[in-house]
Amino acid sequence: MDELSLTEIVDVVDEVAAMLQDWENRYGIAFSPSFNITGGEPFLRDDLFEILAEIGGRGFAVFLLSNGALIDGKRAGKLAELRVKGVQISIEGPEHIHDEIRGKGSFTASRAGVGNLLEAGLPVTLNVTISRLNAMHMPEMVTLAAELGVQRLGFSRFVPTGRGIRMLDEMLTPHEVKELYKGFAGLSVPGLDIVTGDPVAAQMHIEPPHDAGCATPFGGCAAGVSGLTLLADGTITPCRRLEIPLGNVRNDSLREVWATSEVLALLRDKSKYRGKCGACARWTGCRGCRAIAYAFSQAEGGGDFLAEDPQCFI
């Protein structure tokens, strides 16, 4: 892959900073701008620390997503020096489950990385991608997170895309997702926050908005609303798990893409959504997971990123 150079990355960061400053000045909107740096594996880039320094030096909060295997004490200390706000480490279950999914010995390496991060004083989130392969082991993950002393345990649903298309049968049913989320909601572990970015999970304990007819999205799925993803080669997508190219920062203005992309416009338009999501009173604060809806639709022979979320239980 022809990855962006450090110079190109700095240019993009400058463009984003200028764009947000213009919006603040013009519309009086206060932003909390941040970059989530992930991969693949971000530590495979030799200039990672230079990239993080450039982003942080322009006032952005920086978060890192990694498998943790390459984070030794020195690297963890450098992340702390750069004031990285938090690091998310992917752990798919107890050792035998994690190694089955990610390769023999990977659990030990990731756990060592977690220890180095905590020793350096960095906030750490363990994140689990939930499927039928590991759902029954979530209580063990809560115990593991508490034993390690991490601050947060996060979870996200499996997206059946790429090589994951072969695991379509491992997706949980809506009922299974609901029961799992109910179990999480009933947990209280001192010093450990159990969190998720899943828009469906966020709807479990809140009432629909009074103005259920409102069609202006304000929360829920971030795709098209509160963020964009840049792939290693500069390709722009609505979300790191929603693989629909919108352009490329080498040729396209991010500001123009944000304002004129037909895909983003559709993601913001309730009337274009189909199935349960299109008729849902909670659409403004949820919209389901667009990445899962798209991947599942593709697996069924379609390719509709506006389809209903197949695991929604609301």
Side-chain angles (χ1 to χ4, degrees):
M1 180 179 289
D2 181 18
E3 296 192 3
L4 294 174
S5 67
L6 177 60
T7 299
E8 289 174 314
I9 291 172
V10 170
D11 287 343
V12 172
V13 175
D14 285 341
E15 180 185 1
V16 175
M19 178 175 68
L20 295 182
Q21 187 60 60
D22 284 350
W23 288 349
E24 285 192 11
N25 295 340
R26 182 180 294 270
Y27 304 112
I29 300 173
F31 291 95
S32 300
S34 64
F35 275 77
N36 294 321
I37 310 300
T38 182
E41 172 51 51
F43 278 96
L44 293 177
R45 279 199 67 131
D46 294 335
D47 58 357
L48 174 64
F49 293 124
E50 294 174 81
I51 294 171
L52 299 181
E54 293 286 353
I55 296 172
R58 284 159 176 76
F60 292 95
V62 180
F63 299 87
L64 196 69
L65 287 68
S66 168
N67 64 28
L70 299 177
I71 304 178
D72 56 18
K74 183 177 179 180
R75 284 174 167 167
K78 185 62 177 178
L79 294 177
E81 286 178 25
L82 291 170
R83 300 190 178 185
V84 168
K85 298 297 184 182
V87 182
Q88 176 178 298
I89 302 297
S90 299
I91 299 287
E92 307 301 355
E95 185 169 6
H96 69 288
I97 296 296
H98 181 89
D99 281 2
E100 181 180 335
I101 294 172
R102 289 185 173 258
K104 185 174 178 59
S106 59
F107 180 89
T108 298
S110 295
R111 181 169 180 160
V114 169
N116 291 326
L117 291 166
L118 293 171
E119 183 69 23
L122 285 158
V124 177
T125 300
L126 298 188
N127 191 74
V128 188
T129 301
I130 297 174
S131 69
R132 193 161 281 115
L133 297 176
N134 58 11
M136 72 289 293
H137 296 284
M138 288 306 102
E140 295 166 75
M141 287 303 300
V142 174
T143 300
L144 174 64
E147 289 177 349
L148 290 177
V150 302
Q151 291 81 3
R152 302 182 3 157
L153 172 64
F155 58 93
S156 54
R157 286 182 280 149
F158 165 67
V159 180
T161 190
R163 288 181 295 177
I165 193 68
R166 295 173 294 183
M167 296 171 54
L168 190 66
D169 291 342
E170 305 299 344
M171 289 182 67
L172 299 177
T173 66
H175 176 73
E176 288 170 328
V177 173
K178 180 179 181 179
E179 292 304 304
L180 187 66
Y181 286 6
K182 283 171 61 178
F184 279 131
L187 292 174
S188 178
V189 182
L192 179 68
D193 289 330
I194 300 176
V195 299
T196 181
D198 187 344
V200 174
Q203 299 301 311
M204 286 190 67
H205 303 293
I206 63 174
E207 295 297 321
H210 293 299
D211 185 6
C214 175
T216 301
F218 60 80
C221 179
V225 176
S226 60
L228 286 174
T229 290
L230 304 182
L231 303 184
D233 66 351
T235 299
I236 308 165
T237 67
C239 160
R240 69 187 180 91
R241 303 195 301 168
L242 182 55
E243 299 174 349
I244 301 175
L246 308 176
N248 190 293
V249 293
R250 284 175 164 147
N251 308 306
D252 303 300
S253 160
L254 274 174
R255 189 180 309 213
E256 288 187 13
V257 169
W258 184 257
T260 66
S261 165
E262 293 183 7
V263 170
L264 296 184
L266 289 169
L267 286 167
R268 300 164 185 153
D269 187 346
K270 182 179 181 180
S271 70
K272 300 298 191 293
Y273 281 62
R274 283 172 271 281
K276 288 176 60 177
C277 290
C280 186
R282 302 171 184 267
W283 183 89
T284 55
C286 181
R287 297 182 305 290
C289 174
R290 292 298 93 213
I292 292 175
Y294 181 55
F296 188 79
S297 175
Q298 284 185 309
E300 295 284 290
D304 185 1
F305 60 89
L306 301 172
E308 68 178 43
D309 185 327
Q311 292 176 306
C312 177
F313 54 82
I314 301 297

